Amino acid sequence: MRRRLLRSVIIVSVCAAALLLAAVLAGGLALRGSLARLDGTRGVRGLAANVTIERDALGAPRVLAESPADAARALGWLHAQERCFQMDLLRRAAAGELSALLGPALLGTDRDVRRHRFGERLEASLLAMDEPSRSLLEAYAAGVNAGLDDLRVRPPEYLLLRQQPRPWRPLDSLLVVAAMYLDLGLYTAEVDLARGLAREVLPRPLAEFVVPMAGHWDAPLTDEGPALSVLPTAEVAASLGDHGVAGPGATRADRVPAHDRAGSNSWAVAGRLTRHGGALLANDMHLGHALPNIWYRAELRQGHGAAAPWAVGVTLPGVPGVIAGSNGRVAWGFTNAYGDWLDLVALETDPADSTRYRVPAGWDTLRTRLEVIEVAGRAPDTLVVRESRWGPVWARDASGRPLVLRWTAHDAGAVNLELLRMATVRSVDEALALAPGLGMPGQNLVCADADGRIAWTIAGRLPRRYGWDGRTPASWADGTRGWDGWLDPAQHPRLADPPEGRLWTANNRVAGGTQLDVLGDGGYALGARALQIRDGLRALKQPVESDLLALQLDDRALYQDYWRGVALASLERAAPAADPAVAARRERFARLAREGWDGRASVGSVGYRVVRAFSGALVDLACAPLLEPVRRAHPAFDGRDLPLRPSVARELVERRPAHLVPAPHRDWDALAAAAVDTAMARLEATGEPESAWTWGARNTAAIEHPFAAVLPWLRSRLAAPPDQLPGDSNLPRVQHPTSGASERLVVSPGREQDGLFHMPGGQSGHPLSPFFLAGHDDWVHGRPAPLLPQAARHRLVLTPAGR
């Protein structure tokens, strides 16, 4: 009996194992059925001629087409086969439709986004487009749908969600661009709100000091600009009352500020300064990291002959062309400009009817719109959106007045395909002329041409603001403030052929004087990164491509070295600590800041991590008391989002005003010593030995597919290796665990064969693809890798079908 039972158990176990193996094999085969087609011949309806797609060992494609429409159709095919789910998320993110695919967890995100009504607004933009633009979008959409239909199995994400991918529409490409507006532009609203609260609560001299127009480390393209703010007087400080912040617990946990998560670097060197005589362009756009990467690299040839459009660089899945790169005559790149492209308008409402608000001609009434949001697995949700003539109700100011969002992204024409014409410009002059009409978030455009010239301007339309500087919320009720259409293209700030032969942008304030008046202040980043880039460029003698890549990888810790000097000098001057444990802690800090310091944000540096913890604590301790009245009045206020806060702290520790020393500290050296205590307490709280306090242990890559969090047992297949990464904020090699350089491009137009390129992740979004992480290791370690696709390993020919 026991033997028969054992035999039955073995038989059942073997059968179960066989069924499990069969299920795994079937699942694997199904997943492989959704891999992109790499070789062979496929028919595609709508093509006018054959299109050849060659892929190299990294999966980088060279698309050889006979016309722009055929190239767009083929690019749509590629994007669908390699990045379908990513494209779907991008369009849904802008439309507020993520919860229809991913369920209730995304409902809050959708409710926030639906206030913009991008779907409805962009329908109108699509109808207003010229025929060539609509035709290109239609060709691209047809290519996307053909590529999706050609997959034998739908992409794996849809299998797991038990959903079907929705066909692509021309409108969806515009929504993808709107998603970039959301990613790059809304930060200014938070900054304006924070500045407005500071101005409403604090005495005017103090508000101007803590929210300055200029800061230490500024590195604009021209020397003109606003002066540093004046220190508040003792009388102003006395009006604050008791605002002291005491002890190590006063500062909050370290984090990456919002303005460090979405930025970029770009610079150019004129041909007269380079070794080979060609102008050089470098661009690394800093965005959030995920798998797949935001960009899809490609080379697009759209005909034969020297005049045929050609470009190589990065494309954005969902959009039919090259976003940044080179066309053989002109190379171009972008950084987020952080100019002021939006305003918060305070409504003066009727006390008897909160839906009525004042306008220059009398009264107007808020419109109410109902947005129905589909939610997977539950009933639809309905959002009530209230809109004024200037935009949707967004927040409330210190006195409770509604604030509405006036944003360039909401206007007709905010999204168009003019950027794709960069593939045809022949000089920096043509690029400068094209830039003001680009339908995209406001960006610094840096370009170089084959004649050795370089130039900078702002891409995108600029509002003509009147009546105030736009840095804080304001009422437009009496007509003395507002927008008066768009700035004339001839008035756009620009700089061509700079005398020193160099240009640089790094999300910093790039202009001064009347140009700054035009651009406004949308929350410029601290200038430390731009300053290090500028000085690095000036130190280069006859640079070539590899020199600009080296500058992109520059992790020298010049910014933190300043704070290191502050810490060590303050500890030497500060009164000895009465508590032996505190004294030992400070001695330990000084030893690590000296002996563990290698001058870089390197993965093995203990000194860098210790000093970085100190600088964050010191800025908190110095600035938080000045902003405390605002926080008390508005508990949600977070002064850490003010990007020039470190400059304010530097002004304080250098000028050492006795009347601004926060209680209970007796002087600025005592405050710095308290910041040392805070930094060391944080590190000691990890429970690790000091040898483990390396920067790399803190700055470890966490780059993964969106499903890695919900499928932890598959994380090893859905994530990049947890590499320790050099770099940080406020230096050229910006790098955080989940954000940083989304690409690195170095190129001289006309010398693309010598160009260099990196990006995190690989070409494909499919975890089983050989291209899922192909090239990622070059990005991690900074190894030079070519811009152009290399020798073809795969060849696919798309032919006209149905003809």
Side-chain angles (χ1 to χ4, degrees):
M1 179 70 178
R2 181 178 295 177
R3 183 175 297 177
R4 286 199 302 272
L5 179 60
L6 180 60
R7 182 182 300 172
S8 298
V9 169
I10 292 173
I11 291 172
V12 170
S13 299
V14 169
C15 290
L19 288 172
L20 178 61
L21 179 61
V24 170
L25 291 174
L29 290 174
L31 291 178
R32 291 195 173 277
S34 57
L35 287 168
R37 192 180 300 276
L38 304 179
D39 298 285
T41 301
R42 303 300 293 173
V44 176
R45 291 186 178 276
L47 285 177
N50 287 357
V51 178
T52 300
I53 300 172
E54 299 174 346
R55 284 181 173 93
D56 67 8
L58 298 181
R62 175 178 290 114
V63 178
L64 307 173
E66 296 293 330
S67 69
D70 280 359
R73 200 175 296 263
L75 185 61
W77 168 286
L78 285 169
H79 284 165
Q81 294 227 322
E82 301 277 24
R83 303 288 190 89
C84 176
F85 187 66
Q86 177 190 26
M87 296 164 64
D88 197 5
L89 292 184
L90 285 170
R91 67 176 169 182
R92 288 176 180 272
E97 297 176 350
L98 288 169
S99 51
L101 180 68
L102 301 174
L106 276 297
L107 182 56
T109 300
D110 283 347
R111 288 177 65 88
D112 277 345
V113 171
R114 278 294 180 93
R115 292 181 289 177
H116 301 290
R117 296 192 301 106
F118 277 129
E120 183 178 338
R121 296 180 194 276
L122 293 176
E123 283 276 15
S125 294
L126 182 62
L127 291 174
M129 278 187 174
D130 57 52
E131 180 58 31
S133 295
R134 285 201 306 272
S135 295
L136 197 69
L137 288 173
E138 288 166 0
Y140 177 80
V144 170
N145 293 326
L148 187 58
D149 289 344
D150 185 70
L151 295 175
R152 295 177 293 280
V153 178
R154 65 186 185 271
E157 295 90 348
Y158 297 97
L159 293 174
L160 288 168
L161 292 170
R162 299 181 181 180
Q163 298 243 26
Q164 292 288 338
R166 192 174 69 191
W168 197 261
R169 308 164 298 170
L171 172 65
D172 293 328
S173 292
L174 305 188
L175 286 168
V176 168
V177 179
M180 299 307 291
Y181 268 102
L182 290 170
D183 194 28
L184 300 173
L186 271 181
Y187 163 69
T188 297
E190 301 301 322
V191 173
D192 281 2
L193 186 59
R195 289 189 296 217
L197 293 174
R199 280 195 177 181
E200 289 193 32
V201 174
L202 300 175
R204 186 61 178 265
L206 180 57
E208 291 181 351
F209 179 69
V210 297
V211 187
M213 283 287 292
H216 293 280
W217 297 286
D218 277 358
L221 295 176
T222 58
D223 291 334
E224 61 180 353
L228 293 173
S229 297
V230 177
L231 281 171
T233 64
E235 290 75 17
V236 171
S239 69
L240 295 178
D242 180 17
H243 56 259
V245 178
T251 63
R252 287 164 282 187
D254 194 18
R255 52 126 197 192
V256 179
H259 49 275
D260 283 338
R261 293 197 294 266
S264 299
N265 300 328
S266 190
W267 58 84
V269 181
R272 61 185 170 85
L273 299 180
T274 67
R275 187 180 307 170
H276 50 48
L280 283 167
L281 173 89
N283 185 211
D284 49 295
M285 296 180 276
H286 309 149
L287 296 167
H289 290 327
L291 294 179
N293 184 37
I294 185 68
W295 307 115
Y296 180 86
R297 62 186 299 193
E299 177 185 347
L300 303 179
R301 295 186 181 272
Q302 304 172 33
H304 298 290
W310 172 84
V312 61
V314 295
T315 70
L316 177 62
V319 178
V322 172
I323 304 300
S326 182
N327 67 16
R329 286 291 307 173
V330 176
W332 70 97
F334 297 103
T335 63
N336 205 12
Y338 287 109
D340 197 353
W341 326 132
L342 62 78
D343 283 314
L344 294 176
V345 182
L347 296 186
E348 298 181 13
T349 55
D350 183 348
D353 183 355
S354 62
T355 66
R356 294 211 316 156
Y357 61 98
R358 291 189 182 277
V359 296
W363 295 91
D364 202 349
T365 303
L366 290 172
R367 299 183 300 276
T368 299
R369 297 176 180 270
L370 300 181
E371 292 285 319
V372 178
I373 304 174
E374 299 294 330
V375 183
R378 55 172 274 188
D381 180 75
T382 300
L383 173 70
V384 178
V385 178
R386 300 192 183 279
E387 281 193 348
S388 73
R389 61 171 57 185
W390 299 301
V393 174
W394 190 256
R396 292 188 178 273
D397 67 6
S399 60
R401 292 182 302 177
L403 297 176
V404 302
L405 184 68
R406 180 70 179 96
W407 190 16
T408 57
H410 292 161
D411 286 81
V415 177
N416 60 39
L417 297 189
E418 290 298 290
L419 175 58
L420 304 189
R421 291 176 55 198
M422 287 296 294
T424 66
V425 298
R426 312 300 289 171
S427 67
V428 295
D429 292 329
E430 292 184 19
L432 292 177
L434 183 63
L438 301 186
M440 61 184 293
Q443 300 283 291
N444 290 304
L445 167 65
V446 176
C447 54
D449 69 21
D451 294 326
R453 301 176 61 207
I454 60 175
W456 160 85
T457 190
I458 297 293
R461 297 187 302 180
L462 304 182
R464 184 184 288 110
R465 183 181 286 108
Y466 64 88
W468 94 121
D469 62 11
R471 299 181 77 229
T472 55
S475 170
W476 291 10
D478 63 5
T480 61
R481 303 181 188 90
W483 290 5
D484 182 19
W486 305 104
L487 199 68
D488 186 273
Q491 296 177 295
H492 272 231
R494 61 186 61 182
L495 178 59
D497 305 313
E500 74 164 274
R502 303 174 185 88
L503 293 168
W504 58 90
T505 72
N507 316 120
N508 59 306
R509 179 179 63 81
V510 295
T514 57
Q515 287 193 342
L516 181 58
D517 293 339
V518 166
L519 296 178
D521 178 4
Y524 295 114
L526 196 68
R529 177 160 42 99
L531 182 65
Q532 189 164 335
I533 291 168
R534 183 200 69 183
D535 293 348
L537 285 172
R538 289 175 174 174
L540 294 175
K541 306 301 181 184
Q542 296 189 315
V544 294
E545 285 80 355
S546 59
D547 296 313
L548 267 61
L549 174 62
L551 186 52
Q552 289 179 322
L553 300 173
D554 181 10
D555 60 5
R556 289 176 301 141
L558 305 186
Y559 170 77
Q560 294 296 350
D561 196 35
Y562 168 81
W563 295 112
R564 172 175 171 267
V566 169
L568 294 175
S570 296
L571 287 179
E572 289 180 359
R573 293 191 299 257
D579 185 339
V582 173
R585 174 181 282 170
R586 294 176 182 177
E587 290 176 3
R588 189 183 192 189
F589 173 92
R591 173 175 55 80
L592 293 174
R594 289 190 176 100
E595 299 174 6
W597 181 260
D598 64 3
R600 296 182 175 276
S602 57
V603 297
S605 177
V606 172
Y608 181 83
R609 185 173 176 185
V610 166
V611 170
R612 188 184 192 274
F614 160 78
S615 67
L618 178 62
V619 172
D620 271 352
L621 287 172
C623 294
L626 301 179
L627 295 168
E628 180 63 14
V630 188
R631 193 196 64 78
R632 287 180 179 174
H634 304 279
F637 171 80
D638 190 346
R640 294 176 300 169
D641 280 329
L642 298 173
L644 295 187
R645 212 169 48 107
S647 178
V648 173
R650 176 174 172 177
E651 187 74 355
L652 291 170
V653 299
E654 288 187 356
R655 300 281 297 277
R656 303 170 67 83
H659 62 280
L660 293 178
V661 176
H665 311 291
R666 60 184 177 186
D667 57 29
W668 289 101
D669 291 330
L671 182 85
V676 167
D677 297 339
T678 298
M680 294 302 291
R682 282 184 186 156
L683 291 166
E684 291 167 358
T686 65
E688 299 172 333
E690 67 180 42
S691 61
W693 298 350
T694 63
W695 177 239
R698 162 69 171 73
N699 205 40
T700 300
I703 306 172
E704 57 189 31
H705 187 282
F707 281 14
V710 295
L711 299 173
W713 58 91
L714 292 177
R715 189 180 295 273
S716 63
R717 297 302 302 265
L718 297 175
D723 296 297
Q724 295 189 353
L725 302 171
D728 191 13
S729 310
N730 297 313
L731 48 80
R733 191 170 189 168
V734 170
Q735 190 57 68
H736 304 292
T738 59
S739 63
S742 62
E743 48 76 55
R744 299 189 189 108
L745 166 70
V746 180
V747 64
S748 177
R751 293 176 171 82
E752 287 75 15
Q753 70 278 3
D754 299 322
L756 302 173
F757 183 83
H758 292 153
M759 75 177 193
Q763 286 288 91
S764 177
H766 198 304
L768 297 183
S769 169
F771 309 132
F772 185 58
L773 287 172
H776 176 79
D777 205 48
D778 291 333
W779 174 84
V780 170
H781 298 288
R783 289 190 292 264
L787 168 64
L788 291 176
Q790 299 299 287
R793 298 287 185 89
H794 302 278
R795 189 171 185 270
L796 175 68
V797 179
L798 305 181
T799 64
R803 295 179 58 185

